Amino acid sequence: MSRDLRTFLAEQSAAVWELPRGLSRRYELTALQHALDARGEYPVLLARDTLGADGARSAIPVVTNLTASRVLTAAALGLPDHRCTAEWFARRSAGGIDPQVLARDAAPVQEVVLTGDAADLGRIPALTQHELEPGPYLTAAHATTFDPDTGVDNTAIQRCWLRTARRMSWFPYPASHNARNLRKFHGRGEPCPVAFWIGHHPAVLMGTQAKLRYPQSHWRAAGGVLGEPLRLVPSITHGERIMVPADAEIVIEGWAPSGVLAADGPFGEYTGFLGPQTPAPVCDVACITMRSDAIYHDYGSGLTDMLVPDNMAMEGKLYELVKSVAPSLRNVHVPASGRRFHAWLQLAEPVRGEARDALVAALAYRRTKWVVAVDDDIDIFSAAALDWAIATRVQWSRDAIVIDDLSGSSLDPSLPAGASTASKMGVDATLPPAAAPGAPRPVPPVTTVPADAATRAGALRDGADAAGWPRF
Amino acid sequence: MQYSVHSVETDKYAGNTTWAACPACQLWFPVSARMLEPAAPPACCPGCHREFSVKESRR
């Protein structure tokens, strides 16, 4: 059986919190995600009979917080340890597995086909997540377009505001490959064909977030991450020009007309700030397809739910970029606390200059803003260990590199008005290498206790009476 | 010195956000610089959905 959202939910049923019925999709579910994030708790949330802004119930259940946990998201990839993602993701997404094309009558996502007035966006239980957002948004819609020059498709998560029954605005970030495809169609005065698919196994969601070249299809990468061919089916409206995952939950197909822009937003972004209202293309809906018992997937925008999978995919991209210039690279961590801006690189005995090469390579990636390189005695998944390395191994005038005018994210709230580039910093927090193999590094030794004493101390603590344990 | 400075405009205190206020319900919300360009669509109040020109609103 092919893996999809529902096989994942069944496998991980112990991680799912089925919520009381009747929760509101306007703020209430998102407020719960904020509360859970603040507590460091990351269950998958399953909500049935949710209420829209008008109080109407939806028969389509909502799943959110699907990927808020790094541990659970790694498990979805088949990884026993979430700290092993970078190299694995780089290898699996680059290797890829060719997709498999199904006939339409074999595609679960086309069990229900709605056209004309029946293709009503009001059927979809989208959430209004944050104050000042103008209405319900699709937050886990994977927009698929294609390059009209080559026919090669592209997929990316891009938000959509459900404005009316048959029209939504859609915000492909200007630097995105979908925006490039859109501009090509509109440059010819043609509407851009597009399909948005929602809901799949987390490995597919992550595989389609692999950061690829242009034009390059994401279907092979998704199969590589999933570990089996991704099953595709021709879309109803666009046929084989736009294929969609056959095991998705919902697909919205339509056209983005040339010369039509609408004000979109404000919208809660990954930065934790609201992105401003801005002109965006629209999509006129031609067709909605779904499973007969469809589940709607929502990402909590700006919450760990969205940051975790995206950052884990970023770790793979940075691993690939940096490894090509710094062979001593061992691991990469993009912490959710730094949104998408911070990256920690772990190097094993880098040669002179190699740490700085690694920093410059990582800073060249548009999303990064601060990159720190450390030795392999530092756990890059421990904020305390990183803080110790930075505190004790860095002289700023020697070890910090600030580079201005690199490509960055226009959503960075710290950028000056109108800036299209960012100021970035790399920090070499590695120790100097030993003068000769086997010799000590030319720095003081780290404090240690003998291994047998550490073992006895651990046993002593483990055996202590919990009832009488001191409070502090 | 190992670092380069500074071609980026660094006036931290100027901020970077343009605000518009809905002429109907007075709700303030952030708008991008592109909303000030001649070809921009009308702004849409996220509260009452009234459409209006950003240039005519307070900011």
Side-chain angles (χ1 to χ4, degrees), chain A residues 24-31 33 47 50-51 62-64 124-130 133 135-139 160-162 267 296-300:
Chain A
S24 173
R25 298 194 301 276
R26 184 173 163 84
Y27 307 138
E28 201 166 18
L29 278 169
T30 307
Q33 288 182 278
T50 57
L51 308 179
V62 176
V63 164
T64 191
I124 297 173
L127 275 63
T128 304
Q129 295 192 344
H130 295 104
E133 290 175 353
Y137 270 87
L138 306 179
T139 55
C160 300
W161 171 21
L162 308 188
F267 181 74
Y296 174 72
H297 177 216
D298 166 85
Y299 274 124

Side-chain angles (χ1 to χ4, degrees), chain A residues 346-439:
Chain A
Q346 187 188 54
L347 309 176
E349 300 187 5
V351 300
R352 184 179 289 266
E354 191 176 1
R356 295 168 76 88
D357 291 344
L359 293 171
V360 173
L363 289 171
Y365 187 47
R366 179 174 63 83
R367 290 178 165 186
T368 56
K369 187 173 162 188
W370 183 35
V371 181
V372 178
V374 297
D375 293 302
D376 61 354
D377 65 322
I378 299 298
D379 178 0
I380 56 173
F381 295 87
S382 162
L386 272 158
D387 204 24
W388 178 57
I390 293 167
T392 60
R393 304 177 187 195
V394 173
Q395 286 295 303
W396 293 111
S397 63
R398 181 191 65 198
D399 296 320
I401 310 166
V402 175
I403 308 176
D404 287 350
D405 287 336
L406 295 184
S407 63
S409 168
S410 62
L411 293 170
D412 177 354
S414 71
L415 282 181
S420 58
T421 59
S423 179
K424 302 187 175 188
M425 181 164 79
V427 173
D428 178 359
T430 61
L431 290 168

